[in-house]
Amino acid sequence: QVQLVESGGGLVQPGGSLRLSCAASGSIASITAMGWYRQARGNVRRLVAVISKSGSTNYGDSVKGRFTISRDNAKNTVYLQMNSLKPEDTAVYYCNADNVRLTTGGIYDYWGQGTQVTVSS
């Protein structure tokens, strides 16, 4: 009923930048919060950044000051601008839509399929 499609991952050198996008589509009435999580090989999935419908944001400690999350409510799309990338930012990045109210009824959480970000020289 709802799909999250991510784009923008890839290979970048240390110090470089990337911009991730995630568009939610389907029978969506509203989305409370959208965010990004990442999972490096052998590690658990961790919060990168989250943004509420009103624009309030929260960031993981390791990305504060380097990453910026933004959201277009009209397009149900969330963005992650990543600057000053480090090798330790290498991970699969997952988009999350939290408390998605469907036009057909019900409230659910959804995840994207993940996009690989590799920071290496």
Side-chain angles (χ1 to χ4, degrees):
Q1 289 177 311
V2 173
Q3 285 189 319
L4 302 183
V5 178
E6 300 141 334
S7 61
L11 173 64
V12 63
Q13 292 186 342
S17 298
L18 281 177
R19 188 186 192 221
L20 305 183
S21 299
C22 172
S25 62
S27 306
I28 299 170
S30 65
I31 304 175
T32 299
M34 299 186 77
W36 293 93
Y37 292 74
R38 68 186 183 187
Q39 187 168 14
R41 188 172 299 178
N43 289 324
V44 300
R45 192 173 297 187
R46 298 184 185 277
L47 172 71
V48 176
V50 63
I51 184 167
S52 71
K53 191 173 183 179
S54 64
S56 298
T57 59
N58 187 35
Y59 293 90
D61 288 341
S62 62
V63 307
K64 286 179 181 177
R66 300 187 297 123
F67 291 9
T68 302
I69 191 170
S70 60
R71 177 174 172 175
D72 185 334
N73 290 329
K75 296 181 179 180
N76 288 325
T77 299
V78 63
Y79 306 95
L80 185 69
Q81 178 65 43
M82 305 185 292
N83 298 329
S84 302
L85 282 161
K86 305 175 181 179
E88 50 263 43
D89 294 317
T90 296
V92 178
Y93 284 69
Y94 295 92
C95 176
N96 171 257
D98 187 47
N99 280 3
V100 180
R101 183 180 298 275
L102 303 183
T103 57
T104 53
I107 300 175
Y108 303 92
D109 297 339
Y110 294 93
W111 291 90
Q113 79 284 358
T115 185
Q116 177 70 45
V117 171
T118 302
V119 185
S120 175
S121 55

